[in-house]
């Protein structure tokens, strides 16, 4: 908890910088690719902060689900299989996948936003 608070403070003091800046139109074009995704996270988890900083660098936004407690934590355990964050919930073609591991999540997001529109 104390470490998480310190990391959040450091993250606020030294915010990630955008490596790319998207126009509102470009963001709207990404919406179909990103809306099926949600990031299950803890606010003060270093690996979650790493993913959130990568989101900022890529100038994209995802639905964030805080799962320190409550229904999203229960859902993560029940459907994802374990309580480990960050975890990306991917809803595609009527199926749901749960992607664990911060590096995997960042790589997946990079691939998703580079994909040409379907
Ligand atoms: N290798 C993982 C590590 C993730 C990890 O250790 N997450 C911790 C929080 S910082 C966790 O989910 N712990 C389970 C718990 O607190 O119940 C990654 O890079 O995503």
């Amino acid at each position: 908890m104390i470490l998480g608070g310190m990391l959040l403070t450091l993250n606020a003091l030294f915010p990630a910088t955008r490596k790319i800046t998207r126009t509102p139109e470009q963001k709207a074009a990404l919406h179909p690719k990103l809306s099926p995704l949600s990031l299950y996270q803890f606010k003060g988890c270093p690996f979650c902060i790493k993913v959130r900083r990568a989101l900022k660098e890529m100038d994209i936004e995802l639905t964030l689900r805080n799962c320190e407690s409550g229904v999203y934590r229960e859902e993560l355990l029940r459907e994802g299989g374990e309580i480990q964050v960050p975890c990306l919930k991917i809803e595609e073609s009527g199926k749901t996948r749960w992607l664990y591991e911060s590096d995997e999540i960042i790589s997946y997001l990079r691939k998703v936003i580079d994909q040409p529109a379907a």
Side-chain angles (χ1 to χ4, degrees):
M1 271 299 152
I2 294 171
L3 180 62
M6 282 168 55
L7 289 172
L8 284 172
T9 305
L10 282 173
N11 186 46
L13 287 174
F14 304 99
T17 47
R18 286 193 177 85
K19 293 194 172 150
I20 179 168
T21 302
R22 298 177 197 278
T23 63
E25 292 76 19
Q26 288 170 325
K27 286 187 180 178
L30 281 179
H31 184 73
K33 293 176 179 180
L34 299 179
S35 60
L37 310 178
S38 29
L39 184 69
Y40 285 59
Q41 59 142 24
F42 295 168
K43 280 186 189 156
C45 157
F47 304 96
C48 303
I49 291 173
K50 180 173 86 175
V51 174
R52 295 202 304 271
R53 290 177 71 89
L55 297 179
K56 185 158 180 208
E57 286 171 8
M58 291 185 255
D59 198 13
I60 59 173
E61 283 168 29
L62 286 185
T63 300
L64 301 180
R65 303 290 195 209
N66 292 332
C67 46
E68 285 89 348
S69 61
V71 289
Y72 294 125
R73 184 182 179 90
E74 286 164 22
E75 183 194 6
L76 177 63
L77 179 59
R78 189 179 61 247
E79 295 188 23
E82 61 179 315
I83 299 292
Q84 183 182 290
V85 290
C87 182
L88 188 69
K89 181 181 182 183
I90 305 166
E91 294 171 282
E92 56 189 3
S93 314
K95 291 188 184 157
T96 302
R97 285 202 293 135
W98 296 83
L99 182 64
Y100 288 93
E101 292 298 326
S102 51
D103 287 341
E104 298 288 324
I105 292 169
I106 293 168
S107 303
Y108 178 84
L109 291 171
R110 290 210 172 107
K111 270 190 222 143
V112 164
I113 60 177
D114 282 347
Q115 273 173 7

